[in-house]
């Protein structure tokens, strides 16, 4: 099998993956801040890193996968006050909704899903270490801040100097800080904030800053040096940059070996945002599209590329996934799916996945395999198709179950396939077969399949058809 290579944001290059402990992988991913329903950007993070952990396990690694929950944050506090409900009630409600959305998308639960509020003692311990090393200080407002100019490596993940970063839009200009780039580790409590977000500390009552949460949770569950840290591209700076400064500053050695960042979700070629009015929750999308279609749509793009959401792309994903299920419907796989790792399609699939999780190429291999299943009616190849797709979290239902749901949620897909048109296409296919133009015959068959038409060739050259 080929060697796994991962694009490491820190190195700005694709690198051979070498775990710290042979045969074991420790993976941390920044999860959701739970004050609202998850959106498509969250869906991409969930699916992408579910894919990563699935592939690592399929490659024989023992994986410890941690994806945190931020359940204390300025936005959470503001939303709870706005709603007139407790923070615990708000976060419990949206954690339950997040888990429903995640399960619908075929995302396997992480091994650990820590909540920030459960790790405040670890955060305070980390802050104490940073203060003791002169990397943090308390300002006149009572906040404890990290001193970025006292950490020599600051900016290495984003690739910018401190002076460049100071010109950025995200710089906090709090006059109590020594430097505008200094970020808060511990926020002094305000009288207006609920008591449930206040903890005692050596620096007075308060609550943790966002960045310290992930350093503390990852360190507690994976150790202060682990293999892979992932998240959305928007977290590269300042969140992940600040995690590096905190963790390496406190422990005096490397923090993470490989940093992975998935690309943005765009809507009709514009970045998805509430301000533009092009913001979609997972639940909005699942009202119209099957969850497996959404998962397929996400995997169809390379994880580092922008993902452009539009109905036409989801419609195309639905038709493409239907093609795969139709192959399994017409040639059922064996009940016990066993993967033949030496088979040629599997080898090309493995090579694609080991090339920085190249799902577009891996899916292309599945479609090649589906075409061979359609031509040869081979149960062994059908089994191979199901097994390889299963690694990606696809084709795990019975074909009839998907096809029934697909047609129920996609009314009108068959509207362009009238009986007369179907008969005409079948005649064209018969002519192509008679002329031994099998590529054209296969193309017509696929065209009909995309319309939800099932063909059955009978002896004597007759072809019967029905709507799936």
């Amino acid at each position: 099998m080929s060697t796994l290579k991962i694009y490491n944001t820190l190195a700005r290059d694709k690198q051979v993956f070498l775990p710290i402990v042979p045969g074991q992988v420790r993976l941390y991913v920044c999860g959701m801040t739970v004050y609202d329903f998850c959106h498509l950007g969250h869906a991409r993070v969930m699916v992408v890193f579910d894919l990563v952990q699935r592939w690592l396990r399929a490659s024989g690694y023992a994986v410890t996968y941690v994806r945190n929950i931020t359940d204390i944050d300025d936005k959470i506090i503001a939303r709870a006050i706005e709603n007139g409900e407790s923070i615990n009630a708000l976060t419990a409600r949206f954690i339950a909704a997040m888990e429903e959305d995640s399960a619908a998308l075929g995302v396997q639960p992480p091994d650990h899903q820590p909540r920030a509020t459960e790790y405040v003692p670890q955060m305070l311990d980390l802050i104490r270490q940073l203060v003791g090393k002169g990397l943090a200080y308390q300002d006149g407002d009572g906040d404890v801040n990290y001193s970025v100019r006292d950490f020599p490596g600051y900016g290495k993940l984003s690739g910018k100097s401190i002076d460049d970063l100071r010109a950025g839009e995200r710089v906090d200009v709090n006059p109590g800080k020594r430097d505008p780039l200094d970020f808060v580790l511990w926020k002094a409590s305000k009288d207006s904030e609920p008591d449930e977000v206040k903890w005692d500390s050596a620096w007075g009552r308060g609550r943790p800053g966002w960045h310290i949460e992930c350093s503390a949770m990852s360190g507690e569950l994976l150790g202060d040096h682990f293999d892979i840290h992932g998240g959305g591209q928007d977290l590269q700076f300042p969140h992940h940059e600040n995690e590096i400064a905190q963790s390496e500053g406190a422990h005096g050695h490397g923090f993470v070996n490989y940093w992975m960042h998935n690309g943005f979700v765009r809507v009709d070629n514009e970045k998805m945002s509430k301000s533009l009015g092009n913001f979609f929750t997972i639940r909005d999308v699942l009202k119209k599209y099957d969850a497996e279609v959404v998962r397929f749509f996400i995997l169809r793009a390379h994880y580092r590329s922008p993902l452009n959401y539009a109905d036409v792309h989801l419609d195309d994903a639905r038709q493409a996934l239907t093609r795969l299920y139709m192959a399994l419907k017409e040639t059922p796989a064996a009940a016990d799916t066993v993967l033949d790792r030496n088979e040629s399609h599997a080898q090309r699939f493995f090579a694609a996945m080991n090339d920085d999780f190249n799902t577009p190429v891996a899916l292309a291999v599945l479609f090649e395999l589906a075409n061979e299943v359609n031509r040869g009616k081979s149960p062994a190849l059908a089994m191979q198709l199901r097994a390889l797709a299963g690694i990606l979290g696809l084709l795990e239902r019975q074909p009839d179950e998907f096809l029934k749901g697909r047609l129920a949620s996609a009314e009108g897909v068959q509207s362009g396939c009238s009986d007369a048109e179907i008969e005409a296409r079948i005649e064209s296919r018969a002519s192509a077969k008679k002329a031994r133009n099998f590529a054209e015959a296969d193309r017509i068959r696929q065209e009909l399949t995309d319309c939800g038409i099932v063909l059955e060739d009978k002896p004597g050259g007759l072809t019967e058809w029905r709507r799936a």
Side-chain angles (χ1 to χ4, degrees):
M1 183 183 292
S2 56
T3 303
L4 174 62
K5 292 183 179 180
I6 297 176
Y7 184 87
N8 187 354
T9 307
L10 186 62
R12 291 164 188 77
D13 196 10
K14 216 181 287 186
Q15 297 181 322
V16 172
F17 177 65
L18 297 172
I20 296 168
V21 178
Q24 299 180 24
V25 180
R26 287 170 289 166
L27 167 66
Y28 183 90
V29 173
C30 290
M32 275 45 83
T33 301
V34 286
Y35 68 99
D36 206 340
F37 291 113
C38 292
H39 54 66
L40 280 176
H42 296 137
R44 193 174 197 192
V45 172
M46 290 178 187
V47 171
V48 162
F49 290 101
D50 176 62
L51 169 81
V52 169
Q53 66 88 22
R54 281 173 180 260
W55 181 247
L56 291 168
R57 295 181 200 274
S59 300
Y61 290 107
V63 179
T64 303
Y65 176 27
V66 179
R67 192 187 69 213
N68 79 292
I69 295 173
T70 297
D71 60 348
I72 180 62
D73 177 85
D74 291 346
K75 293 177 181 178
I76 292 173
I77 295 170
R79 182 62 59 85
I81 292 172
E82 178 187 337
N83 291 353
E85 65 181 320
S86 72
I87 287 172
N88 287 338
L90 176 81
T91 56
R93 181 156 53 90
F94 286 117
I95 287 171
M98 176 193 71
E99 290 177 342
E100 289 175 5
D101 292 342
S102 179
L105 292 169
V107 173
Q108 296 174 338
D111 297 298
H112 303 278
Q113 193 162 247
R115 303 182 185 187
T117 53
E118 299 170 346
Y119 288 79
V120 174
Q122 289 87 344
M123 297 173 203
L124 289 171
D125 184 60
L126 198 54
I127 295 170
R128 276 193 292 268
Q129 293 180 61
L130 293 170
V131 170
K133 292 188 173 186
L135 290 170
Y137 61 93
Q138 188 170 24
D139 65 23
D141 294 330
D143 294 345
V144 180
N145 301 308
Y146 189 98
S147 179
V148 297
R149 288 193 179 272
D150 291 314
F151 178 68
Y154 196 80
K156 62 184 177 181
L157 185 66
S158 57
K160 298 179 181 179
S161 69
I162 288 181
D163 291 334
D164 289 337
L165 291 170
R166 286 195 63 174
E169 295 179 350
R170 297 190 184 200
V171 171
D172 190 332
V173 293
N174 182 342
K177 295 180 178 181
R178 296 175 184 171
D179 188 287
L181 270 179
D182 291 352
F183 57 90
V184 66
L185 302 171
W186 187 257
K187 295 185 177 184
S189 64
K190 300 175 183 177
D191 293 339
S192 60
E193 293 178 342
D195 287 339
E196 60 185 318
V197 294
K198 298 176 183 178
W199 288 265
D200 291 323
S201 79
W203 309 279
R205 294 269 283 173
R207 59 186 173 88
W210 174 37
H211 310 300
I212 199 69
E213 296 175 0
C214 284
S215 283
M217 287 184 281
S218 64
E220 179 70 14
L221 293 168
L222 298 177
D224 51 33
H225 182 206
F226 57 92
D227 299 292
I228 303 173
H229 193 314
Q233 185 180 336
D234 56 320
L235 300 183
Q236 183 176 339
F237 181 85
H239 186 51
H240 290 163
E241 192 78 69
N242 292 349
E243 280 189 67
I244 291 174
Q246 293 165 162
S247 298
E248 295 189 358
H251 302 302
H253 58 68
F255 173 39
V256 172
N257 285 1
Y258 302 85
W259 286 88
M260 294 181 63
H261 295 94
N262 64 269
F264 291 119
V265 174
R266 303 174 68 83
V267 178
D268 292 328
N269 291 312
E270 287 189 296
K271 184 180 175 184
M272 187 181 72
S273 70
K274 290 183 178 178
S275 62
L276 292 174
N278 62 356
F279 185 87
F280 293 94
T281 68
I282 296 173
R283 296 184 168 214
D284 290 335
V285 179
L286 295 187
K287 290 176 183 176
K288 188 172 182 180
Y289 294 98
D290 181 275
E292 189 175 355
V293 170
V294 178
R295 182 182 180 95
F296 179 90
F297 163 70
I298 292 171
L299 295 178
R300 212 173 189 184
H302 190 272
Y303 78 90
R304 287 192 285 116
S305 301
L307 179 66
N308 191 36
Y309 175 88
D311 281 357
V312 65
H313 299 318
L314 268 295
D315 291 339
D316 186 61
R318 179 165 53 196
Q319 291 192 12
L321 189 58
T322 298
R323 287 170 55 188
L324 297 178
Y325 267 111
M326 286 300 296
L328 294 178
K329 179 178 175 62
E330 294 191 28
T331 307
D336 296 327
T337 303
V338 179
L339 177 63
D340 179 0
R341 291 176 174 266
N342 295 318
E343 188 265 337
S344 62
H345 293 90
Q347 290 293 310
R348 285 185 285 129
F349 181 94
F350 297 151
M353 291 300 294
N354 279 331
D355 183 16
D356 193 33
F357 309 97
N358 196 332
T359 52
V361 174
L363 287 171
V365 173
L366 296 189
F367 282 101
E368 291 176 21
L369 187 51
N371 287 338
E372 291 199 22
V373 170
N374 287 332
R375 282 194 294 268
K377 306 299 182 186
S378 166
L381 289 180
M383 180 175 67
Q384 193 77 340
L385 173 61
R386 183 182 285 278
L388 290 173
I391 295 174
L392 306 181
L394 300 171
L395 303 187
E396 296 183 313
R397 289 182 278 180
Q398 291 301 313
D400 283 340
E401 179 188 348
F402 170 81
L403 294 168
K404 181 179 178 181
R406 178 261 194 202
L407 292 173
S409 64
E411 293 180 4
V413 169
Q414 299 176 5
S415 61
C417 299
S418 67
D419 288 4
E421 289 172 324
I422 293 166
E423 295 288 357
R425 293 185 198 185
I426 289 174
E427 287 183 18
S428 296
R429 177 173 174 264
S431 297
K433 289 173 69 177
K434 188 174 181 180
R436 304 188 65 80
N437 187 350
F438 298 113
E440 175 64 9
D442 286 344
R443 187 196 67 76
I444 295 171
R445 184 189 190 100
Q446 191 58 64
E447 190 175 55
L448 289 167
T449 297
D450 289 346
C451 271
I453 306 304
V454 180
L455 300 184
E456 186 174 354
D457 292 325
K458 297 289 187 178
L462 297 176
T463 298
E464 294 183 357
W465 65 271
R466 61 182 172 82
R467 297 186 187 274

